[in-house]
Amino acid sequence: MVFTLRKKRTTPAIRKYIGESQKSVPKLARELGLSESTVRKWRKRAEGYEENRRARPSRTSFTPDQQALIVEIRRSMLLSLDDLLAVVRMFIQPSCSRSSLDRLLRRHGVCRIADLVPDPEEHRRVLREYKSYLPGFMRVHERTLPRVQHEEFRKHLFMAVDRSSGWLFLEAREDGSPEEAAAFLRDLSDGAPFHLRRILTADRPLFRPAEEDPDPFGLACEELGVEHVTYPARTQESHQPLPDHAGTTASQPSSFASSEEIEKKLLAHAHVYNNHIPLMTMGRLTPVEKLARFHEAHPDLFKRHPGELAAYPDQEKYLFYQTKKEQPIIAGAEGIYMWDTRGKQYLDGCSGAVVNNIGHGNRRVIAAVERQSRQTFFAYRTQFENRPSQELARQLVEHSAPHLNRVFFVSGGSEAVESAMKVCRQYFFNLGEGSRYKFVSRVPAYHGSTLGALSLTSYAPLEVAFKPLVRDNPKIPAPTCYRCVYHKQYPDCELECAWALEKTVLEQGPDNIAAFVVEPVGGASTGALVPPDEYFGIIQHICRKYGIFLVLDEVMTGFGRTGKLFAYEHWGVQADVVALSKGIASGYYPLGAILTTDEIVDVVVRRGGFAHGHTYAGNPMACAVGQEVLRVIMEDKLPENADRMGKILLKGLNRLGRKHRFIGEVRGLGLLTALELVRDPQTREPFPPEWNAAMLLTDNAFADGLLIYPRRSINGLYGDHVLVAPPLIVREAQIAELLEKLDKALTRTADHLNALETTLAEERASGPTPATPYYR
Ligand SMILES: Cc1ncc(COP(=O)(O)O)c(C=O)c1O
């Protein structure tokens, strides 16, 4: 071998030659014209270099099993670098940089997606054959997951990718046997939103065993009516464990405690990928969005709407609300109608929780949100004023009673009630009347669930656990004439329930009372309870006589709900503070407020300012929404519509009351109406609470696509009622539709309740066992 030596006496080629040569040092020295020490030096370095090359420690901060996982995701899903980066940041390493991920892919030889496609020619052939990709043609494959420290086994990952949308389904299974492959296929068929039509797999014994062997996968395909197509398996594609890069996982601290944890990560990954990663190959749509498009054009290919897929693996574990039953997922809403992801339509007969006064999807409000979003969503009130809050305050003052001219914004009903309590209390405190800290309210009542508001609320199930935390404020009976606590009849009763306020004030000592808090028309706890006409005159008189404030909780009744903008207008009540929420932003944004007088604010502000407030008080976006909602309410004359439609609704409900024996009372004002359900209309005996009659009716209505709102009117314990309170934009034909649906639901509920009665009678006859209750 001849080398031309120029400036340097050894070149990389000579060094390489030295490193690889088996010749002796003197022989090489002679051959290359070098000294023996030079040859010895390069031979030594070459050995060291090889060693280095073999075991160069990785500078990545990924643990080996994280690396293996990333490589597997790349291999199996062929995600682009940026898509993969999003997944890695979300689930594996939030601080991962694009370049470090790129380096990792290079190191593991998976940096070119084209190289990862198994047998590209065959692949293209198969793809051409099924060019008209429609949902239901899925490629299935299987890999072994990395072994986790302390675990002896390796789980097997089965994955299926829908060719039309990239939608991914995966499961980690105990082993890579044909039985497990078949079980995976069955789960896939259940879990996919579309009908499974064709499956593409590598031609491996797992999916297609030898003739004489049992073929569970083939049997499953047959049973499910799925065509099975194979492509030749490459060695690399075969049943190999994931590579254990740069040492064994056992010798390194593992980032996964168990294979279950890996499985969870992979499921979470699949969720993010399906729902949040727009794919270049799908025209920048996520797999679920792409499927939704297919659903529009080919609904016949689907078993259910793609939007109905579980939003997140184990999602029900994370959210906890009172309700126990599974609920549909909302997909859209317009006017008085709502749709779930299955495409089922609901008539919103209760405006959510009596919130959505202006109806759903109002274009003007949507435009107002867009306008405001171009300016700012948030500016903190001690640093900036904002136009929407100033303007909404002005609008509220303009439309409310002349003496109510100061506004304080909050984000919801409970906050509004608590703010009302605190402004009253601080007024008296600032005036040196520190003994005035008690607030009288009614039984039953609902004023919210935070601790202060709960001290005014009377709805036992919500209070019992919190009794020691909540002030024991004095209560008087609500004017529940249908179940008069004094066993009297209006008008002979001379409104003893109203005069109970005076009695309580005197018992407690007038100097200890700050205010009386009351819903003008009772809402959730009393079911649209309208007081007798004289009621508020008496209440107003007592409050004035003893110098206590009158606080009206118009959280539910405000903004047109009862046929006037504010319910106090019905009786000309002059409140000192009015608490507002719900209809104020009609569900388009969280918002609440109190309206009060100059006198109160002056005393509070003059001496140090209102020692109260929340981060979102006067939020610009919330107030921009409130402004537009109020304009819609006034310009579209929604209180007037509520008055007209409310009368039609009440007439219809009374008709149903006459038809269905278990409707004890129909009551309400404007579009805040309710039906009270009774076991015996003569005695007014309520249903046994465990029969959950109001919930049963609500569920039956729900099944027929009607939303109503169930509660109980005997302190939350008995006395089932449902609120019927559609958005104030409702039209006469829609009221008819509502009543028709309600009628059907009432008929079915009657059947169900009768069946419960029969069972109870039979059980009584045969022994002391109670009837099967209807539980939610
Ligand atoms: C009269 C009344 N006050 C207060 C509240 C509490 O409002 P939020 O649930 O927004 O805290 C409600 C809620 O239903 C209500 O009806």
Side-chain angles (χ1 to χ4, degrees):
M1 181 177 197
V2 179
F3 289 99
T4 320
L5 298 180
R6 293 206 180 101
K7 257 194 207 154
K8 275 189 189 159
R9 297 187 61 205
T10 60
T11 63
I14 293 174
R15 287 174 218 149
K16 186 166 180 265
Y17 180 68
I18 294 171
E20 286 169 0
S21 172
Q22 301 298 317
K23 293 175 188 166
S24 69
V25 172
K27 212 169 178 183
L28 270 177
R30 267 199 309 282
E31 182 185 328
L32 298 169
L34 298 170
S35 70
E36 286 188 15
S37 65
T38 306
V39 172
R40 220 169 273 119
K41 180 178 90 184
W42 288 116
R43 172 157 284 178
K44 223 172 177 178
R45 286 208 193 163
E47 279 161 8
Y49 172 71
E50 275 306 310
E51 224 161 66
N52 261 352
R53 271 201 344 158
R54 251 179 273 121
R56 187 189 283 170
S58 157
R59 263 189 264 130
T60 179
S61 55
F62 292 112
T63 62
D65 48 355
Q66 282 176 332
Q67 294 184 43
L69 194 59
I70 294 169
V71 169
E72 178 53 21
I73 293 171
R74 170 74 158 189
R75 265 193 216 289
S76 55
M77 296 174 56
L78 308 179
L79 287 185
S80 72
L81 179 63
D82 287 320
D83 290 349
L84 187 63
L85 183 64
V87 172
V88 170
R89 281 185 177 159
M90 185 163 298
F91 293 109
I92 300 177
Q93 198 182 85
S95 59
C96 171
S97 69
R98 194 174 190 274
S99 56
S100 70
L101 183 63
D102 187 40
R103 278 199 304 277
L104 184 148
L105 299 184
R106 283 175 197 287
R107 244 192 341 271
H108 291 280
V110 288
C111 66
R112 267 172 48 86
I113 288 185
D115 296 343
L116 304 176
V117 175
D119 197 347
E121 220 359 85
E122 176 64 10
H123 190 64
R124 270 196 288 277
R125 194 189 62 73
V126 174
L127 298 193
R128 266 198 305 275
E129 197 169 314
Y130 296 102
K131 206 160 179 3
S132 59
Y133 295 148
L134 285 172
F137 176 22
M138 299 192 84
R139 178 176 168 222
V140 173
H141 53 156
E142 177 266 357
R143 306 278 297 176
T144 311
L145 282 173
R147 185 163 65 82
V148 172
Q149 217 173 352
H150 311 306
E151 282 186 357
E152 292 300 311
F153 54 88
R154 288 169 188 265
K155 279 203 164 187
H156 289 247
L157 182 67
F158 284 83
M159 279 179 287
V161 183
D162 176 52
R163 308 235 55 107
S164 73
S165 59
W167 183 75
L168 169 71
F169 182 87
L170 53 83
E171 270 183 1
R173 305 197 70 90
E174 293 311 310
D175 57 52
S177 64
E179 287 75 16
E180 290 286 284
F184 169 76
L185 189 65
R186 289 195 176 90
D187 287 354
L188 170 64
S189 169
D190 280 350
F194 40 72
H195 299 288
L196 215 52
R197 295 177 297 117
R198 281 190 198 113
I199 291 291
L200 176 66
T201 70
D203 196 0
R204 292 171 46 196
L206 169 66
F207 300 115
R208 179 155 291 176
E211 286 283 305
E212 61 281 7
D213 289 338
D215 180 11
F217 192 78
L219 277 176
C221 286
E222 233 175 270
E223 187 187 308
L224 298 166
V226 173
E227 181 188 352
H228 184 191
V229 185
T230 55
Y231 57 86
R234 290 192 312 167
T235 10
Q236 193 198 339
E237 264 276 301
S238 66
H239 185 182
Q240 293 291 318
L242 288 178
D244 230 351
H245 302 278
T248 65
T249 39
S251 65
Q252 302 265 349
S254 172
S255 59
F256 295 109
S258 64
S259 47
E260 243 171 59
E261 207 179 289
I262 299 185
E263 186 182 347
K264 247 180 143 175
K265 279 269 187 242
L266 284 167
L267 286 170
H269 154 73
H271 160 76
V272 171
Y273 165 81
N274 283 334
N275 291 279
H276 299 291
I277 299 190
L279 303 177
M280 297 279 276
T281 45
M282 299 296 153
R284 307 296 311 163
L285 295 177
T286 67
V288 166
E289 285 168 348
K290 183 78 185 173
L291 283 179
R293 297 272 171 99
F294 276 118
H295 186 270
E296 275 170 30
H298 305 278
D300 50 307
L301 294 178
F302 288 81
K303 291 184 285 184
R304 51 181 180 267
H305 193 280
E308 206 192 308
L309 292 163
Y312 204 87
D314 302 337
Q315 61 170 339
E316 69 283 1
K317 285 190 190 157
Y318 302 109
L319 277 172
F320 68 104
Y321 298 126
Q322 283 157 320
T323 176
K324 287 186 207 105
K325 68 173 187 183
E326 212 180 289
Q327 301 185 140
I329 295 170
I330 186 68
E334 186 79 40
I336 67 159
Y337 298 98
M338 309 182 84
W339 295 268
D340 69 18
T341 47
R342 285 172 227 161
K344 178 173 172 180
Q345 180 173 293
Y346 303 83
L347 192 160
D348 187 358
C350 54
S351 309
V354 198
V355 176
N356 199 281
N357 288 11
I358 66 165
H360 301 275
N362 187 290
R363 297 283 175 272
R364 288 179 58 176
V365 180
I366 293 167
V369 171
E370 279 172 5
R371 270 197 309 277
Q372 184 58 35
S373 68
R374 274 180 246 125
Q375 199 190 70
T376 179
F377 277 79
F378 180 76
Y380 193 50
R381 71 196 147 82
T382 64
Q383 291 150 357
F384 295 98
E385 290 295 347
N386 68 74
R387 291 278 176 249
S389 68
Q390 290 176 326
E391 181 52 24
L392 178 58
R394 190 195 62 73
Q395 279 174 261
L396 287 171
V397 167
E398 185 185 310
H399 293 298
S400 60
H403 68 290
L404 295 171
N405 35 32
R406 306 299 282 270
V407 179
F408 185 88
F409 286 117
V410 290
S411 302
S414 303
E415 279 185 14
V417 169
E418 301 233 350
S419 304
M421 293 171 80
K422 287 175 82 173
V423 85
C424 294
R425 165 63 188 163
Q426 201 181 333
Y427 171 89
F428 289 120
F429 181 84
N430 285 5
L431 288 182
E433 295 184 52
S435 64
R436 285 191 190 260
Y437 61 85
K438 294 186 183 175
F439 289 83
V440 183
S441 60
R442 303 194 309 195
V443 184
Y446 189 77
H447 296 289
S449 56
T450 51
L451 295 178
L454 205 54
S455 74
L456 311 175
T457 289
S458 303
Y459 200 83
L462 298 180
E463 292 165 68
V464 62
F466 310 105
K467 278 258 183 253
L469 309 180
V470 175
R471 258 211 68 77
D472 194 10
N473 271 317
K475 309 277 188 314
I476 63 166
T480 48
C481 298
Y482 184 65
R483 299 184 184 283
C484 179
V485 290
Y486 305 104
H487 306 288
K488 293 186 174 172
Q489 282 234 321
Y490 175 79
D492 299 339
C493 64
E494 294 180 342
L495 284 104
E496 194 168 341
C497 55
W499 290 108
L501 176 61
E502 183 165 45
K503 208 165 147 225
T504 302
V505 168
L506 292 172
E507 276 164 15
Q508 300 285 332
D511 294 346
N512 297 323
I513 310 284
F516 175 53
V517 185
V518 60
E519 300 161 81
V521 176
S525 285
T526 43
L529 184 73
V530 186
D533 277 346
E534 307 88 324
Y535 184 83
F536 274 109
I538 299 170
I539 295 292
Q540 181 99 66
H541 163 77
I542 299 165
C543 288
R544 287 198 178 141
K545 182 170 171 190
Y546 296 99
I548 62 178
F549 286 138
L550 175 57
V551 175
L552 291 184
D553 180 348
E554 292 238 23
V555 166
M556 191 178 275
T557 52
F559 298 93
R561 173 58 56 191
T562 64
K564 305 250 182 224
L565 186 61
F566 299 109
Y568 62 69
E569 295 170 32
H570 289 288
W571 305 281
V573 197
Q574 284 214 348
D576 299 286
V577 188
V578 180
L580 302 167
S581 188
K582 296 195 187 253
I584 191 173
S586 283
Y588 287 78
Y589 220 78
L591 181 63
I594 56 168
L595 266 169
T596 187
T597 62
D598 277 331
E599 188 205 339
I600 293 180
V601 173
D602 287 347
V603 171
V604 168
V605 170
R606 205 176 340 119
R607 310 195 187 180
F610 191 16
H612 175 66
H614 298 279
T615 303
Y616 289 108
N619 177 269
M621 179 57 84
C623 293
V625 166
Q627 253 182 283
E628 200 59 35
V629 167
L630 188 50
R631 283 194 201 115
V632 170
I633 289 174
M634 299 314 294
E635 288 169 23
D636 294 354
K637 299 193 176 2
L638 295 188
E640 289 86 336
N641 193 54
D643 179 47
R644 256 196 333 272
M645 294 299 130
K647 286 180 178 130
I648 296 169
L649 177 62
L650 266 179
K651 218 165 135 189
L653 291 176
N654 275 310
R655 205 175 53 244
L656 294 179
R658 288 189 293 276
K659 176 172 173 188
H660 298 278
R661 192 177 168 272
F662 69 107
I663 296 179
E665 191 183 43
V666 174
R667 53 184 180 246
L669 189 58
L671 283 171
L672 182 56
T673 66
L675 305 178
E676 177 144 352
L677 312 180
V678 286
R679 193 171 183 187
D680 183 338
Q682 300 306 315
T683 61
R684 301 181 183 181
E685 180 197 346
F687 282 106
E690 67 274 16
W691 289 12
N692 249 329
M695 186 52 74
L696 175 59
L697 174 59
T698 303
D699 285 351
N700 281 328
F702 199 89
D704 284 338
L706 171 67
L707 307 177
I708 51 177
Y709 192 71
R711 281 291 180 272
R712 284 181 175 153
S713 43
I714 308 179
N715 205 14
L717 298 171
Y718 301 90
D720 293 84
H721 70 246
V722 290
L723 283 174
V724 182
L728 313 186
I729 54 167
V730 71
R731 297 191 306 269
E732 195 169 342
Q734 294 169 329
I735 300 264
E737 186 188 341
L738 185 160
L739 290 166
E740 195 187 316
K741 283 177 186 287
L742 187 58
D743 189 13
K744 255 201 228 164
L746 285 161
T747 305
R748 267 200 287 141
T749 306
D751 291 346
H752 202 139
L753 291 168
N754 288 339
L756 283 173
E757 292 287 5
T758 313
T759 318
L760 183 63
E762 283 167 7
E763 283 173 352
R764 278 216 181 113
S766 63
T769 342
T772 313
Y774 174 82
Y775 288 115
R776 179 153 199 186

